[in-house]
Amino acid sequence: MKSDNETRYTFTDAKGFYQIKYENRLGNTALLIASSTGLKSDSISISLVDNKESYSTNFELTKSSVSIEEIKIEGKRKSIEIKKDTVVYNPENFIDGSEKTVEDLLKKLPGIKVNESGSLEFKGKTVTAVMLDGGDLFNSNYMIGTRSINPNIIDQVQAIDNWSDNPVLKSIGGENKVALNLKLKKDKTSFSSSLKAETDFYKRYNLGAYGLVVNKLVKTFATSNYNNVGVNKSPLDLSTNSLSFEDYQNTKYQAPFLIEKNSIDSRFGSEKAYRNQQWFTSSNSLLKIGSRANLKIIGSFVKDKILLNNISENFYNLNNENIYTKDDNAIVKKPLYITGNLEFRWHKSEKEYFEILSSVSALNENVTNNLISNSDRLYSTRKTFKNLFSKNELIYTLKLKKKNALQIRALYTYDNKPQDLFITPSLLIFPNNGSSPINLQAVEASKQHLGVDFILHHLFTEDHKIKVTVGFANENYMLRSTTRSDDSATFANFKNNISYKTNSAFLNLEYYLKTTDWNINFTQNSQILKQNLIDGFINSKNLFLNKTSLSVFRNIFSKTATFVSADISTIPISENYLFDDYILVSNRSIISNKYSLDYQTQENYNIGFTYNDSYTNQFKVIASVGYTKSRNGFIGKYLVDSNFDYTVSFRSPKPNETYNISLNVEKFVPFISSRFNLKANYYIFDYYSSINENELNKINSKIFQINLIQQFAFNIPLKIKNTLDFTSAVNQSEIRTKIKINSLSLKNELLYSFQSNVFVFKLTNEYYKPDFQQNTDFLFLNFNFNYGPKNSSFKYSLALNNILNVKYNYTKSVLDYSVSYRKTELLNRVFLIGVDLSL
């Protein structure tokens, strides 16, 4: 109702009646307007008469003939949205233009942690899968995608708790996995790709490309990269011998590498010394077959040439006995690693699900080292490592009732690991009559596993579950090793021939209960293990193995909880210790064991407090205290001189103990758009060993670590990030004086972006102080510039790395009885101009 002086509103009730109160002061006339969504508006003019108390009028509205094809409401989405078990991140609230890959984006999302290996954690749980629009292309090696895909094609990042890739188990809530789903923008759901090229127009290159196809029938991702500037695109780091996440999960099915593998010291960043010629290619496809089946095909290829030039020194001071060793190494590693996966899944019905999973991986690595030992003796060494591993699984899932499911799982794995070491001239400890100048160490190791599991899932409620597993397994491990000269003469006490067979039956129970105030996880694993070892004679021993673990969370308030966890386990012998004659593992190291088939006992206890308000005030605190005790584990007895060190591992008659205190604080301050993260850890290690015929003596080691990250944005285009890492290590034994090492690293990043991230400047300086007692320190400067014009498919970049051209870095560490120094040659100054084309 409108008049000259006032406007008033009202709404009809369910029957269409309405009423508006007015006063004579409204004027002589009033305009009464009726309107409704989807109907034509109507109006009537009313003449107001003094002292008349009421007026009555009716409207009959007709449908509007105007159709609206689209209504668009634009506005900034919330940074984080929580929907039951899913946390949704909207990337536009976190990106600043410096992100080159999805991994760069994930590092900025609260609650998600990106580890150095590329594996992810969400709320402290390991992320099992990273999907693209709901399709799992990558399995556990998802860093292949996160390290390649352009973040600008991502519409949302969805973190899903209680996720399952098995539709039958998902329907009963039978698994507690965590996954991320990268929801693509609508215009990128069919096809997207990127081409990247960086070069200094002389000898440095970083070339890469990827293509992504996503539709109802197929999801395909392919990427390829070649570079010699220290970038690692593969899921494993061959310069540090780090396993991929998938390889790590398969470690228990593989034989060990016994010959020493060369690696760089990565404490101050592996990319600085990672002088490589890496070629990495991967193809991942998920094909839909009919309405209920799909086929996944994965293949990858990594070829590299890694230069590891370093000087390593060790100082021993034992009861006034001084021993010094030095190796000046010029190492070239040439690894080749190929993997393949073929997976078929068939959701036969709502109650049945079949999975056939097969994978194979092959490693062939050649390592040469021209080294000067103790500054006067020149050696040439060559190592070869091969590994062929195959894993095959058949899994059948049957839904018995509404809340019950049965799984039958058959698993067969095979691993073969031949390893060889060639040294010339012959080492001083071996006879050398002039006609046998070469030492040859050959190791042949293999392992097979065959097992069948029966798994029953039962769901009482969504937050009350139990899983029972009954299984049988057979394993066969074989080791043969010989040390000889080039005339095939073998040396006494350097020959092993081991056959180790086990048969086991086990019963595992997993219990989960979650209420408003409690969260309880209990597991009980019981196993009967029959061991049969043939090492020139037959040695048999049967064990009953047990692992009991309990973790309890008690919610005190809505966001505050205390937790207690404990586990006690008995562990069988590892294959690393299943030999008693010597094996030559490097130009100066020899190992052997005095083993028994007894088990090792380990206890772990933790108690702590947590406050978690990650998604509203973004404030999180975790504080804990822990204790670990190990009995009957293996410890070392060392015999060291200036040329060689012998290590004999044997069962410890005394326990090893560890105490730890940890604190983790995260806080986001909205009004200055800044984030603070503090991590502090204090460890005390008490363990035993022996050196140079001394009695068994206790070693006490104390380590304090602090990591502080400060990110300042101030709601302006300038962003500042400071990272401080401080470590203090104190080591003391009964036959050596106390040694203390304090080290510091400080990294500062200045990032300035303007015109909505069209121009982005980033300046990084890194300062390292490896030991406060030494004058040596290092300063690295890096500069990056990115230019991405709006509405353009091209982006341009300029990178200057190691501007000060630091030639080497230096680290110092304390081992059981020695102080170790390592000087590593670094990648020289790099100047790169790049262009990135996204389609």
Side-chain angles (χ1 to χ4, degrees), residues 272-528:
K272 296 180 180 61
Y274 190 23
R275 302 165 58 194
N276 65 329
Q277 294 180 16
Q278 186 190 83
W279 179 19
F280 170 66
T281 298
S282 177
S283 175
N284 303 61
S285 296
L286 183 63
L287 312 175
K288 191 172 183 180
I289 304 174
S291 60
R292 289 187 171 270
N294 64 71
L295 180 68
K296 186 188 297 185
I297 304 172
I298 299 175
S300 67
F301 169 93
V302 185
K303 186 178 181 181
D304 215 335
K305 180 180 179 181
I306 305 168
L307 307 181
L308 306 175
N309 298 335
N310 61 62
I311 298 174
S312 61
E313 300 175 275
N314 288 281
F315 293 86
Y316 298 84
N317 187 337
L318 311 169
N319 292 333
N320 298 320
E321 177 188 9
N322 295 316
I323 301 173
Y324 171 71
T325 68
K326 179 180 179 181
D327 285 332
D328 191 340
N329 301 287
I331 302 169
V332 180
K333 293 178 63 172
K334 294 182 178 180
L336 173 64
Y337 187 72
I338 302 173
T339 65
N341 295 66
L342 184 64
E343 302 177 4
F344 174 75
R345 291 178 169 86
W346 179 29
H347 193 190
K348 182 180 178 182
S349 67
E350 295 302 317
K351 293 184 176 182
E352 292 182 278
Y353 190 61
F354 290 89
E355 297 172 86
I356 302 175
L357 315 176
S358 182
S359 64
V360 62
S361 62
L363 170 70
N364 190 343
E365 180 175 291
N366 293 289
V367 184
T368 60
N369 183 11
N370 295 314
L371 66 98
I372 302 174
S373 179
N374 291 352
S375 301
D376 60 1
R377 190 167 179 85
L378 178 64
Y379 288 101
S380 178
T381 73
R382 180 166 61 89
K383 300 177 184 179
T384 61
F385 300 95
K386 294 182 180 181
N387 183 27
L388 177 63
F389 176 69
S390 175
K391 182 179 181 181
N392 303 277
E393 290 180 88
L394 175 62
I395 305 173
Y396 172 66
T397 307
L398 174 65
K399 189 174 182 180
L400 302 175
K401 295 181 180 180
K402 184 178 180 180
K403 296 183 178 181
N404 292 325
L406 174 68
Q407 281 188 294
I408 302 174
R409 175 177 177 257
L411 171 66
Y412 173 74
T413 67
Y414 173 76
D415 185 52
N416 186 35
K417 273 194 173 77
Q419 312 152 50
D420 296 297
L421 169 62
F422 304 81
I423 301 177
T424 183
S426 178
L427 298 174
L428 297 176
I429 57 170
F430 297 112
N432 182 9
N433 57 14
S435 61
S436 303
I438 301 176
N439 297 134
L440 308 174
Q441 174 66 67
V443 177
E444 182 83 19
S446 66
K447 186 175 182 179
Q448 295 183 71
H449 174 98
L450 177 63
V452 179
D453 300 345
F454 300 87
I455 308 167
L456 178 64
H457 301 262
H458 178 71
L459 181 72
F460 300 101
T461 65
E462 185 176 347
D463 294 322
H464 189 192
K465 311 170 188 177
I466 191 171
K467 182 169 77 171
V468 180
T469 304
V470 177
F472 308 90
N474 171 271
E475 288 191 343
N476 190 353
Y477 171 71
M478 182 275 292
L479 171 68
R480 294 188 179 92
S481 71
T482 57
T483 308
R484 63 185 188 273
S485 61
D486 62 350
D487 60 3
S488 299
T490 58
F491 301 114
N493 302 321
F494 280 82
K495 187 174 182 179
N496 292 283
N497 191 352
I498 303 291
S499 176
Y500 177 64
K501 297 181 180 180
T502 63
N503 290 284
S504 63
F506 56 88
L507 172 65
N508 299 339
L509 171 68
E510 299 179 37
Y511 177 78
Y512 172 78
L513 174 63
K514 182 180 180 182
T515 67
T516 303
D517 296 325
W518 296 89
N519 192 331
I520 300 173
N521 286 274
F522 173 77
T523 63
Q524 173 63 51
N525 302 333
S526 301
Q527 179 182 4
I528 298 175

Side-chain angles (χ1 to χ4, degrees), residues 549-618:
S549 63
L550 174 67
S551 65
V552 179
F553 282 78
R554 173 68 165 93
N555 293 320
I556 302 174
F557 304 109
S558 61
K559 298 168 185 174
T560 306
T562 59
F563 62 88
V564 176
S565 66
D567 69 73
I568 302 174
S569 58
T570 49
I571 305 168
I573 189 171
S574 167
E575 287 90 356
N576 296 66
Y577 302 107
L578 275 176
F579 61 93
D580 55 7
D581 269 5
Y582 294 121
I583 295 179
L584 181 68
V585 297
S586 74
N587 64 292
R588 63 165 68 251
S589 296
I590 296 171
I591 61 173
S592 67
N593 306 287
K594 293 182 179 180
Y595 61 82
S596 71
L597 296 181
D598 297 326
Y599 58 70
Q600 172 185 347
T601 302
Q602 187 163 302
E603 304 172 41
N604 297 282
Y605 307 96
N606 283 279
I607 184 170
F609 160 87
T610 177
Y611 176 83
N612 194 345
D613 189 10
S614 298
Y615 307 115
T616 53
N617 294 318
Q618 296 191 36

